[in-house]
Amino acid sequence: MSKFKKASWMIIVLELILIAGLNIFYIINRSNEKGYHKVDVERIIYLLENEPASYNDPKTEVDSVQKNNPESQSNSNLIDNIKKIDLSQYETVIRITPFDPDEICNNEYMVEEVNGTLLRFEYKEADEKSGLLPMNIGLVVMFLATVILLNYIRIKVVAPFTKMSDMTVELAKGNLLAPIKEEKSRFFGKFLWGMDMLRENLEDSKAKELEYQKEKKTMLLSLSHDIKTPLSAIQLYTKAMSEGLYDTEEKKQEAYAGILNNTKQIKTYCDEIYKLSREDFMELSVNVGEVYLSQVLDKVRAYYNDKLSVLHTDFKISEYDDCLLSVDKDRLEEALQNLMENAIKYGDGKEICISFSDEEDCKLITVSNTGCSLEENDISNIFDSFYRGSNTKNIGGNGLGLYIVKQLMKKMDGDVFAEISKDRFNITLVTRKA
């Protein structure tokens, strides 16, 4: 903000200097133009003394000098010659009369002798204000327009941008409680509204995550407490057996049976803990509607055509019959993008293809890539959260991409499965037709 203020003041000062400089230049230039009336007077005297053929055209001066003798001009016809002169051809001279010292003249004039007769040449100097005023009006309008424009930019662009900078810093710090003030800016209004929605979603997600962690911790504590009971029983059984308290075979068998039952109970609790640690940890909202297959594929094609051309990977989308699907358009696009990114990451970069098939009331969309290095025994686990196959060495990732695809397809009443065929890795999305 401070930099913008400095730049604005610099622009304003430069414009003021420009205005002052142009005024000084104009005044000096006009002052140099004073005395133009003397030039016009000398031209007229030259014509009168040389009796020009035409007084209406100053261009005939040279011809007039060649054809006429100045000495033949008489004073009697001087006045007639003066009347023949077209003064509109001269910028400064407005009137020519014989000089009479007793005559009152309101104009500036000069007296010159022509063929023995004194003539009064009345003239006007160019008005400095006639050009200066329009120039200054234009400069002032330009100056005011600049001030208004700079102020508009400050209010509508710089101020909202400064607020956005502060807002992003607060979001980065994790301050999600303070709402973002609405801004009726045609440039950033929608962006600020979107950022506030993002803040609310982050705040909501944070609250849900805390609640989930609380419930998970409570459950783990409960299960840990419940495990203590069978562990204590096993401890008692083993202690009694080590001290020889069971002196008959029947009592020993009862102790063995008790230990076995308690170990089964512990295993059940362990399974619960394992399940709790692997259950759905993210909430994926899905809004199922009706969308044409082509609408989804056009979006995928538009993005990956350019990306894969840069990677020099052959990208093909097979011919298909466009149909209406019962899915969430954004979520289906997300699922396809995950499959495409998976194919780019783990394929050999030669070819990626999207093909289609039909099965009863379902549309099957298959993304396949060449260069499969995944083991067959990994297929059953690749859709589990945090699972990474044998082909992921030295390749970054968190094992969530295909897990998210699985969860999304289930919520859209669909499914997903994978297979390996002829050195190609194929993942198929099963979608419902509308």
Side-chain angles (χ1 to χ4, degrees), residues 146-189:
T146 301
V147 172
I148 293 172
L149 178 62
L150 291 173
N151 193 52
Y152 179 82
I153 294 174
R154 180 183 65 82
I155 295 173
K156 296 296 183 180
V157 179
V158 178
F161 186 79
T162 303
K163 291 180 182 178
M164 286 191 295
S165 300
D166 298 337
M167 170 196 64
T168 52
V169 172
E170 291 300 317
L171 289 178
K173 290 179 180 179
N175 182 13
L176 305 175
L177 296 177
I180 299 171
K181 185 179 179 181
E182 291 186 8
E183 180 71 33
K184 295 180 180 179
S185 170
R186 60 182 297 184
F187 303 103
F188 301 111

mmCIF file of all heavy atoms in Angstrom, residues 146-189:
data_model
loop_
_atom_site.group_PDB
_atom_site.id
_atom_site.type_symbol
_atom_site.label_atom_id
_atom_site.label_comp_id
_atom_site.label_asym_id
_atom_site.label_seq_id
_atom_site.Cartn_x
_atom_site.Cartn_y
_atom_site.Cartn_z
ATOM 1 N N THR A 146 -6.278 11.658 -13.912
ATOM 2 C CA THR A 146 -5.227 10.827 -13.313
ATOM 3 C C THR A 146 -5.470 10.629 -11.823
ATOM 4 O O THR A 146 -5.345 9.516 -11.301
ATOM 5 C CB THR A 146 -3.851 11.474 -13.532
ATOM 6 O OG1 THR A 146 -3.618 11.632 -14.939
ATOM 7 C CG2 THR A 146 -2.740 10.614 -12.936
ATOM 8 N N VAL A 147 -5.827 11.731 -11.128
ATOM 9 C CA VAL A 147 -6.090 11.639 -9.680
ATOM 10 C C VAL A 147 -7.266 10.705 -9.406
ATOM 11 O O VAL A 147 -7.217 9.856 -8.510
ATOM 12 C CB VAL A 147 -6.358 13.040 -9.096
ATOM 13 C CG1 VAL A 147 -6.826 12.932 -7.651
ATOM 14 C CG2 VAL A 147 -5.112 13.897 -9.183
ATOM 15 N N ILE A 148 -8.345 10.855 -10.205
ATOM 16 C CA ILE A 148 -9.526 10.011 -10.017
ATOM 17 C C ILE A 148 -9.182 8.550 -10.289
ATOM 18 O O ILE A 148 -9.600 7.640 -9.557
ATOM 19 C CB ILE A 148 -10.672 10.485 -10.936
ATOM 20 C CG1 ILE A 148 -11.167 11.867 -10.486
ATOM 21 C CG2 ILE A 148 -11.829 9.480 -10.933
ATOM 22 C CD1 ILE A 148 -12.153 12.506 -11.442
ATOM 23 N N LEU A 149 -8.418 8.288 -11.363
ATOM 24 C CA LEU A 149 -8.040 6.921 -11.710
ATOM 25 C C LEU A 149 -7.181 6.282 -10.617
ATOM 26 O O LEU A 149 -7.411 5.131 -10.212
ATOM 27 C CB LEU A 149 -7.286 6.913 -13.038
ATOM 28 C CG LEU A 149 -6.776 5.542 -13.524
ATOM 29 C CD1 LEU A 149 -7.946 4.595 -13.751
ATOM 30 C CD2 LEU A 149 -5.957 5.690 -14.794
ATOM 31 N N LEU A 150 -6.203 7.026 -10.114
ATOM 32 C CA LEU A 150 -5.347 6.501 -9.055
ATOM 33 C C LEU A 150 -6.139 6.208 -7.792
ATOM 34 O O LEU A 150 -5.920 5.191 -7.117
ATOM 35 C CB LEU A 150 -4.217 7.487 -8.750
ATOM 36 C CG LEU A 150 -3.147 7.646 -9.842
ATOM 37 C CD1 LEU A 150 -2.187 8.772 -9.483
ATOM 38 C CD2 LEU A 150 -2.382 6.347 -10.043
ATOM 39 N N ASN A 151 -7.091 7.120 -7.474
ATOM 40 C CA ASN A 151 -7.919 6.904 -6.285
ATOM 41 C C ASN A 151 -8.825 5.693 -6.467
ATOM 42 O O ASN A 151 -9.045 4.907 -5.529
ATOM 43 C CB ASN A 151 -8.758 8.150 -6.012
ATOM 44 C CG ASN A 151 -9.397 8.125 -4.638
ATOM 45 O OD1 ASN A 151 -8.727 7.913 -3.634
ATOM 46 N ND2 ASN A 151 -10.694 8.326 -4.587
ATOM 47 N N TYR A 152 -9.340 5.522 -7.696
ATOM 48 C CA TYR A 152 -10.196 4.366 -7.990
ATOM 49 C C TYR A 152 -9.410 3.065 -7.852
ATOM 50 O O TYR A 152 -9.890 2.091 -7.259
ATOM 51 C CB TYR A 152 -10.749 4.499 -9.406
ATOM 52 C CG TYR A 152 -11.624 3.336 -9.837
ATOM 53 C CD1 TYR A 152 -12.961 3.278 -9.457
ATOM 54 C CD2 TYR A 152 -11.108 2.313 -10.622
ATOM 55 C CE1 TYR A 152 -13.768 2.216 -9.844
ATOM 56 C CE2 TYR A 152 -11.906 1.242 -11.007
ATOM 57 C CZ TYR A 152 -13.235 1.213 -10.626
ATOM 58 O OH TYR A 152 -14.022 0.148 -11.008
ATOM 59 N N ILE A 153 -8.183 3.054 -8.382
ATOM 60 C CA ILE A 153 -7.340 1.862 -8.267
ATOM 61 C C ILE A 153 -7.025 1.571 -6.799
ATOM 62 O O ILE A 153 -7.024 0.415 -6.365
ATOM 63 C CB ILE A 153 -6.045 2.046 -9.081
ATOM 64 C CG1 ILE A 153 -6.368 2.118 -10.584
ATOM 65 C CG2 ILE A 153 -5.063 0.912 -8.808
ATOM 66 C CD1 ILE A 153 -5.181 2.441 -11.455
ATOM 67 N N ARG A 154 -6.782 2.645 -6.028
ATOM 68 C CA ARG A 154 -6.469 2.450 -4.605
ATOM 69 C C ARG A 154 -7.638 1.821 -3.854
ATOM 70 O O ARG A 154 -7.460 0.893 -3.057
ATOM 71 C CB ARG A 154 -6.130 3.797 -3.963
ATOM 72 C CG ARG A 154 -5.795 3.720 -2.477
ATOM 73 C CD ARG A 154 -5.539 5.102 -1.911
ATOM 74 N NE ARG A 154 -6.737 5.918 -1.961
ATOM 75 C CZ ARG A 154 -7.721 5.878 -1.060
ATOM 76 N NH1 ARG A 154 -7.647 5.041 -0.035
ATOM 77 N NH2 ARG A 154 -8.761 6.671 -1.169
ATOM 78 N N ILE A 155 -8.852 2.303 -4.137
ATOM 79 C CA ILE A 155 -10.036 1.826 -3.408
ATOM 80 C C ILE A 155 -10.471 0.450 -3.889
ATOM 81 O O ILE A 155 -10.787 -0.439 -3.092
ATOM 82 C CB ILE A 155 -11.188 2.842 -3.555
ATOM 83 C CG1 ILE A 155 -10.810 4.168 -2.879
ATOM 84 C CG2 ILE A 155 -12.485 2.291 -2.958
ATOM 85 C CD1 ILE A 155 -11.795 5.277 -3.112
ATOM 86 N N LYS A 156 -10.487 0.255 -5.227
ATOM 87 C CA LYS A 156 -11.077 -0.954 -5.790
ATOM 88 C C LYS A 156 -10.096 -2.103 -5.993
ATOM 89 O O LYS A 156 -10.516 -3.253 -6.096
ATOM 90 C CB LYS A 156 -11.744 -0.621 -7.138
ATOM 91 C CG LYS A 156 -12.907 0.350 -7.022
ATOM 92 C CD LYS A 156 -14.056 -0.248 -6.221
ATOM 93 C CE LYS A 156 -15.246 0.684 -6.177
ATOM 94 N NZ LYS A 156 -16.365 0.099 -5.383
ATOM 95 N N VAL A 157 -8.810 -1.800 -6.069
ATOM 96 C CA VAL A 157 -7.835 -2.857 -6.368
ATOM 97 C C VAL A 157 -6.824 -3.029 -5.236
ATOM 98 O O VAL A 157 -6.681 -4.116 -4.678
ATOM 99 C CB VAL A 157 -7.095 -2.576 -7.702
ATOM 100 C CG1 VAL A 157 -6.073 -3.657 -7.974
ATOM 101 C CG2 VAL A 157 -8.095 -2.483 -8.851
ATOM 102 N N VAL A 158 -6.135 -1.933 -4.885
ATOM 103 C CA VAL A 158 -5.043 -2.049 -3.917
ATOM 104 C C VAL A 158 -5.556 -2.396 -2.523
ATOM 105 O O VAL A 158 -5.020 -3.299 -1.868
ATOM 106 C CB VAL A 158 -4.234 -0.732 -3.881
ATOM 107 C CG1 VAL A 158 -3.115 -0.826 -2.847
ATOM 108 C CG2 VAL A 158 -3.637 -0.438 -5.257
ATOM 109 N N ALA A 159 -6.603 -1.682 -2.058
ATOM 110 C CA ALA A 159 -7.125 -1.938 -0.709
ATOM 111 C C ALA A 159 -7.647 -3.372 -0.553
ATOM 112 O O ALA A 159 -7.279 -4.067 0.399
ATOM 113 C CB ALA A 159 -8.206 -0.912 -0.375
ATOM 114 N N PRO A 160 -8.499 -3.867 -1.495
ATOM 115 C CA PRO A 160 -8.938 -5.276 -1.373
ATOM 116 C C PRO A 160 -7.780 -6.260 -1.449
ATOM 117 O O PRO A 160 -7.781 -7.271 -0.757
ATOM 118 C CB PRO A 160 -9.898 -5.449 -2.559
ATOM 119 C CG PRO A 160 -10.373 -4.076 -2.877
ATOM 120 C CD PRO A 160 -9.213 -3.185 -2.579
ATOM 121 N N PHE A 161 -6.782 -5.957 -2.285
ATOM 122 C CA PHE A 161 -5.641 -6.865 -2.400
ATOM 123 C C PHE A 161 -4.850 -6.910 -1.092
ATOM 124 O O PHE A 161 -4.366 -7.966 -0.686
ATOM 125 C CB PHE A 161 -4.734 -6.422 -3.549
ATOM 126 C CG PHE A 161 -3.610 -7.374 -3.830
ATOM 127 C CD1 PHE A 161 -3.830 -8.531 -4.552
ATOM 128 C CD2 PHE A 161 -2.330 -7.126 -3.360
ATOM 129 C CE1 PHE A 161 -2.809 -9.424 -4.804
ATOM 130 C CE2 PHE A 161 -1.294 -8.009 -3.606
ATOM 131 C CZ PHE A 161 -1.532 -9.163 -4.336
ATOM 132 N N THR A 162 -4.729 -5.774 -0.429
ATOM 133 C CA THR A 162 -4.048 -5.736 0.864
ATOM 134 C C THR A 162 -4.790 -6.583 1.888
ATOM 135 O O THR A 162 -4.181 -7.321 2.676
ATOM 136 C CB THR A 162 -3.930 -4.286 1.360
ATOM 137 O OG1 THR A 162 -3.244 -3.500 0.383
ATOM 138 C CG2 THR A 162 -3.166 -4.220 2.671
ATOM 139 N N LYS A 163 -6.136 -6.477 1.860
ATOM 140 C CA LYS A 163 -6.943 -7.299 2.766
ATOM 141 C C LYS A 163 -6.739 -8.783 2.478
ATOM 142 O O LYS A 163 -6.656 -9.601 3.401
ATOM 143 C CB LYS A 163 -8.427 -6.937 2.622
ATOM 144 C CG LYS A 163 -8.776 -5.555 3.141
ATOM 145 C CD LYS A 163 -10.258 -5.282 2.947
ATOM 146 C CE LYS A 163 -10.623 -3.886 3.405
ATOM 147 N NZ LYS A 163 -12.058 -3.603 3.175
ATOM 148 N N MET A 164 -6.670 -9.127 1.181
ATOM 149 C CA MET A 164 -6.453 -10.532 0.814
ATOM 150 C C MET A 164 -5.099 -11.027 1.302
ATOM 151 O O MET A 164 -4.972 -12.174 1.741
ATOM 152 C CB MET A 164 -6.559 -10.698 -0.704
ATOM 153 C CG MET A 164 -7.970 -10.612 -1.237
ATOM 154 S SD MET A 164 -8.049 -11.122 -2.953
ATOM 155 C CE MET A 164 -7.078 -9.862 -3.729
ATOM 156 N N SER A 165 -4.083 -10.176 1.241
ATOM 157 C CA SER A 165 -2.756 -10.575 1.709
ATOM 158 C C SER A 165 -2.796 -10.886 3.197
ATOM 159 O O SER A 165 -2.253 -11.897 3.652
ATOM 160 C CB SER A 165 -1.747 -9.464 1.419
ATOM 161 O OG SER A 165 -1.685 -9.198 0.037
ATOM 162 N N ASP A 166 -3.454 -10.018 3.968
ATOM 163 C CA ASP A 166 -3.573 -10.257 5.410
ATOM 164 C C ASP A 166 -4.375 -11.526 5.678
ATOM 165 O O ASP A 166 -4.061 -12.298 6.595
ATOM 166 C CB ASP A 166 -4.239 -9.057 6.086
ATOM 167 C CG ASP A 166 -3.409 -7.782 5.936
ATOM 168 O OD1 ASP A 166 -2.187 -7.904 5.723
ATOM 169 O OD2 ASP A 166 -3.982 -6.682 6.022
ATOM 170 N N MET A 167 -5.411 -11.740 4.874
ATOM 171 C CA MET A 167 -6.291 -12.889 5.069
ATOM 172 C C MET A 167 -5.538 -14.203 4.831
ATOM 173 O O MET A 167 -5.659 -15.138 5.617
ATOM 174 C CB MET A 167 -7.476 -12.784 4.118
ATOM 175 C CG MET A 167 -8.351 -14.006 4.028
ATOM 176 S SD MET A 167 -9.380 -13.906 2.573
ATOM 177 C CE MET A 167 -8.161 -13.956 1.273
ATOM 178 N N THR A 168 -4.753 -14.266 3.769
ATOM 179 C CA THR A 168 -4.021 -15.502 3.470
ATOM 180 C C THR A 168 -2.992 -15.804 4.558
ATOM 181 O O THR A 168 -2.757 -16.967 4.885
ATOM 182 C CB THR A 168 -3.320 -15.388 2.104
ATOM 183 O OG1 THR A 168 -2.547 -14.182 2.057
ATOM 184 C CG2 THR A 168 -4.337 -15.349 0.975
ATOM 185 N N VAL A 169 -2.391 -14.749 5.124
ATOM 186 C CA VAL A 169 -1.434 -14.959 6.220
ATOM 187 C C VAL A 169 -2.150 -15.554 7.429
ATOM 188 O O VAL A 169 -1.643 -16.480 8.071
ATOM 189 C CB VAL A 169 -0.753 -13.626 6.593
ATOM 190 C CG1 VAL A 169 0.084 -13.789 7.861
ATOM 191 C CG2 VAL A 169 0.134 -13.143 5.450
ATOM 192 N N GLU A 170 -3.351 -15.023 7.725
ATOM 193 C CA GLU A 170 -4.114 -15.543 8.859
ATOM 194 C C GLU A 170 -4.531 -16.994 8.625
ATOM 195 O O GLU A 170 -4.500 -17.819 9.546
ATOM 196 C CB GLU A 170 -5.344 -14.662 9.104
ATOM 197 C CG GLU A 170 -5.035 -13.265 9.620
ATOM 198 C CD GLU A 170 -4.287 -13.302 10.949
ATOM 199 O OE1 GLU A 170 -4.668 -14.112 11.816
ATOM 200 O OE2 GLU A 170 -3.319 -12.546 11.093
ATOM 201 N N LEU A 171 -4.932 -17.297 7.398
ATOM 202 C CA LEU A 171 -5.314 -18.675 7.086
ATOM 203 C C LEU A 171 -4.116 -19.610 7.224
ATOM 204 O O LEU A 171 -4.238 -20.743 7.695
ATOM 205 C CB LEU A 171 -5.887 -18.758 5.666
ATOM 206 C CG LEU A 171 -7.267 -18.134 5.444
ATOM 207 C CD1 LEU A 171 -7.668 -18.260 3.981
ATOM 208 C CD2 LEU A 171 -8.328 -18.796 6.314
ATOM 209 N N ALA A 172 -2.951 -19.126 6.787
ATOM 210 C CA ALA A 172 -1.747 -19.943 6.899
ATOM 211 C C ALA A 172 -1.396 -20.198 8.364
ATOM 212 O O ALA A 172 -0.859 -21.250 8.713
ATOM 213 C CB ALA A 172 -0.571 -19.260 6.196
ATOM 214 N N LYS A 173 -1.714 -19.239 9.231
ATOM 215 C CA LYS A 173 -1.450 -19.406 10.651
ATOM 216 C C LYS A 173 -2.467 -20.321 11.323
ATOM 217 O O LYS A 173 -2.284 -20.713 12.466
ATOM 218 C CB LYS A 173 -1.472 -18.041 11.347
ATOM 219 C CG LYS A 173 -0.300 -17.133 10.986
ATOM 220 C CD LYS A 173 -0.417 -15.808 11.691
ATOM 221 C CE LYS A 173 0.747 -14.881 11.347
ATOM 222 N NZ LYS A 173 0.618 -13.562 12.019
ATOM 223 N N GLY A 174 -3.561 -20.628 10.600
ATOM 224 C CA GLY A 174 -4.587 -21.486 11.177
ATOM 225 C C GLY A 174 -5.703 -20.727 11.851
ATOM 226 O O GLY A 174 -6.551 -21.312 12.529
ATOM 227 N N ASN A 175 -5.737 -19.398 11.657
ATOM 228 C CA ASN A 175 -6.815 -18.591 12.233
ATOM 229 C C ASN A 175 -8.021 -18.665 11.313
ATOM 230 O O ASN A 175 -8.127 -17.924 10.333
ATOM 231 C CB ASN A 175 -6.349 -17.147 12.407
ATOM 232 C CG ASN A 175 -7.417 -16.270 13.045
ATOM 233 O OD1 ASN A 175 -8.411 -16.775 13.582
ATOM 234 N ND2 ASN A 175 -7.210 -14.971 12.998
ATOM 235 N N LEU A 176 -8.958 -19.559 11.634
ATOM 236 C CA LEU A 176 -10.112 -19.800 10.764
ATOM 237 C C LEU A 176 -11.402 -19.225 11.327
ATOM 238 O O LEU A 176 -12.459 -19.376 10.719
ATOM 239 C CB LEU A 176 -10.294 -21.314 10.559
ATOM 240 C CG LEU A 176 -9.067 -22.060 10.023
ATOM 241 C CD1 LEU A 176 -9.357 -23.554 9.986
ATOM 242 C CD2 LEU A 176 -8.670 -21.557 8.649
ATOM 243 N N LEU A 177 -11.334 -18.570 12.477
ATOM 244 C CA LEU A 177 -12.554 -18.108 13.124
ATOM 245 C C LEU A 177 -13.013 -16.745 12.608
ATOM 246 O O LEU A 177 -14.204 -16.485 12.504
ATOM 247 C CB LEU A 177 -12.340 -18.034 14.642
ATOM 248 C CG LEU A 177 -12.052 -19.379 15.334
ATOM 249 C CD1 LEU A 177 -11.801 -19.151 16.811
ATOM 250 C CD2 LEU A 177 -13.216 -20.333 15.139
ATOM 251 N N ALA A 178 -12.062 -15.864 12.309
ATOM 252 C CA ALA A 178 -12.429 -14.516 11.883
ATOM 253 C C ALA A 178 -12.998 -14.544 10.477
ATOM 254 O O ALA A 178 -12.326 -14.966 9.542
ATOM 255 C CB ALA A 178 -11.208 -13.595 11.936
ATOM 256 N N PRO A 179 -14.276 -14.090 10.302
ATOM 257 C CA PRO A 179 -14.859 -14.086 8.953
ATOM 258 C C PRO A 179 -14.201 -13.043 8.068
ATOM 259 O O PRO A 179 -13.701 -12.024 8.552
ATOM 260 C CB PRO A 179 -16.334 -13.743 9.216
ATOM 261 C CG PRO A 179 -16.319 -12.977 10.495
ATOM 262 C CD PRO A 179 -15.201 -13.561 11.315
ATOM 263 N N ILE A 180 -14.207 -13.296 6.792
ATOM 264 C CA ILE A 180 -13.641 -12.357 5.820
ATOM 265 C C ILE A 180 -14.712 -11.350 5.430
ATOM 266 O O ILE A 180 -15.812 -11.724 5.020
ATOM 267 C CB ILE A 180 -13.136 -13.104 4.576
ATOM 268 C CG1 ILE A 180 -12.027 -14.080 4.983
ATOM 269 C CG2 ILE A 180 -12.613 -12.125 3.528
ATOM 270 C CD1 ILE A 180 -11.624 -15.014 3.867
ATOM 271 N N LYS A 181 -14.400 -10.072 5.562
ATOM 272 C CA LYS A 181 -15.365 -9.026 5.266
ATOM 273 C C LYS A 181 -15.697 -9.011 3.781
ATOM 274 O O LYS A 181 -14.813 -9.079 2.936
ATOM 275 C CB LYS A 181 -14.802 -7.661 5.683
ATOM 276 C CG LYS A 181 -15.789 -6.521 5.514
ATOM 277 C CD LYS A 181 -15.164 -5.211 5.982
ATOM 278 C CE LYS A 181 -16.146 -4.055 5.781
ATOM 279 N NZ LYS A 181 -15.540 -2.766 6.204
ATOM 280 N N GLU A 182 -16.988 -8.932 3.493
ATOM 281 C CA GLU A 182 -17.414 -8.904 2.090
ATOM 282 C C GLU A 182 -16.956 -7.615 1.430
ATOM 283 O O GLU A 182 -16.948 -6.554 2.044
ATOM 284 C CB GLU A 182 -18.939 -9.025 2.001
ATOM 285 C CG GLU A 182 -19.464 -10.388 2.414
ATOM 286 C CD GLU A 182 -20.954 -10.496 2.158
ATOM 287 O OE1 GLU A 182 -21.508 -9.586 1.526
ATOM 288 O OE2 GLU A 182 -21.550 -11.492 2.590
ATOM 289 N N GLU A 183 -16.586 -7.720 0.192
ATOM 290 C CA GLU A 183 -16.081 -6.582 -0.561
ATOM 291 C C GLU A 183 -16.849 -6.485 -1.872
ATOM 292 O O GLU A 183 -16.844 -7.420 -2.667
ATOM 293 C CB GLU A 183 -14.588 -6.741 -0.832
ATOM 294 C CG GLU A 183 -13.960 -5.595 -1.612
ATOM 295 C CD GLU A 183 -13.860 -4.331 -0.795
ATOM 296 O OE1 GLU A 183 -13.666 -4.428 0.436
ATOM 297 O OE2 GLU A 183 -13.992 -3.235 -1.376
ATOM 298 N N LYS A 184 -17.535 -5.357 -2.073
ATOM 299 C CA LYS A 184 -18.289 -5.168 -3.311
ATOM 300 C C LYS A 184 -17.352 -4.690 -4.415
ATOM 301 O O LYS A 184 -17.484 -3.608 -4.959
ATOM 302 C CB LYS A 184 -19.424 -4.164 -3.098
ATOM 303 C CG LYS A 184 -20.483 -4.647 -2.111
ATOM 304 C CD LYS A 184 -21.581 -3.610 -1.944
ATOM 305 C CE LYS A 184 -22.636 -4.105 -0.965
ATOM 306 N NZ LYS A 184 -23.696 -3.101 -0.759
ATOM 307 N N SER A 185 -16.405 -5.486 -4.720
ATOM 308 C CA SER A 185 -15.419 -5.160 -5.742
ATOM 309 C C SER A 185 -15.666 -6.023 -6.972
ATOM 310 O O SER A 185 -15.801 -7.228 -6.868
ATOM 311 C CB SER A 185 -14.001 -5.409 -5.207
ATOM 312 O OG SER A 185 -13.062 -5.312 -6.244
ATOM 313 N N ARG A 186 -15.709 -5.373 -8.125
ATOM 314 C CA ARG A 186 -15.931 -6.124 -9.352
ATOM 315 C C ARG A 186 -14.724 -6.973 -9.714
ATOM 316 O O ARG A 186 -14.811 -7.879 -10.526
ATOM 317 C CB ARG A 186 -16.247 -5.167 -10.502
ATOM 318 C CG ARG A 186 -15.158 -4.172 -10.810
ATOM 319 C CD ARG A 186 -15.522 -3.228 -11.908
ATOM 320 N NE ARG A 186 -15.738 -3.938 -13.149
ATOM 321 C CZ ARG A 186 -15.993 -3.348 -14.299
ATOM 322 N NH1 ARG A 186 -16.086 -2.029 -14.351
ATOM 323 N NH2 ARG A 186 -16.184 -4.052 -15.401
ATOM 324 N N PHE A 187 -13.579 -6.657 -9.089
ATOM 325 C CA PHE A 187 -12.362 -7.397 -9.373
ATOM 326 C C PHE A 187 -12.164 -8.558 -8.398
ATOM 327 O O PHE A 187 -11.761 -9.639 -8.787
ATOM 328 C CB PHE A 187 -11.142 -6.462 -9.306
ATOM 329 C CG PHE A 187 -11.236 -5.282 -10.230
ATOM 330 C CD1 PHE A 187 -11.554 -4.021 -9.758
ATOM 331 C CD2 PHE A 187 -11.025 -5.436 -11.597
ATOM 332 C CE1 PHE A 187 -11.642 -2.935 -10.608
ATOM 333 C CE2 PHE A 187 -11.110 -4.365 -12.454
ATOM 334 C CZ PHE A 187 -11.421 -3.103 -11.963
ATOM 335 N N PHE A 188 -12.434 -8.325 -7.099
ATOM 336 C CA PHE A 188 -12.112 -9.322 -6.090
ATOM 337 C C PHE A 188 -13.301 -9.784 -5.268
ATOM 338 O O PHE A 188 -13.141 -10.596 -4.363
ATOM 339 C CB PHE A 188 -11.043 -8.776 -5.135
ATOM 340 C CG PHE A 188 -9.766 -8.382 -5.815
ATOM 341 C CD1 PHE A 188 -9.385 -7.058 -5.904
ATOM 342 C CD2 PHE A 188 -8.948 -9.341 -6.375
ATOM 343 C CE1 PHE A 188 -8.205 -6.701 -6.527
ATOM 344 C CE2 PHE A 188 -7.759 -8.991 -6.999
ATOM 345 C CZ PHE A 188 -7.390 -7.668 -7.080
ATOM 346 N N GLY A 189 -14.496 -9.239 -5.540
ATOM 347 C CA GLY A 189 -15.663 -9.598 -4.745
ATOM 348 C C GLY A 189 -15.931 -11.090 -4.734
ATOM 349 O O GLY A 189 -16.085 -11.713 -3.686
#
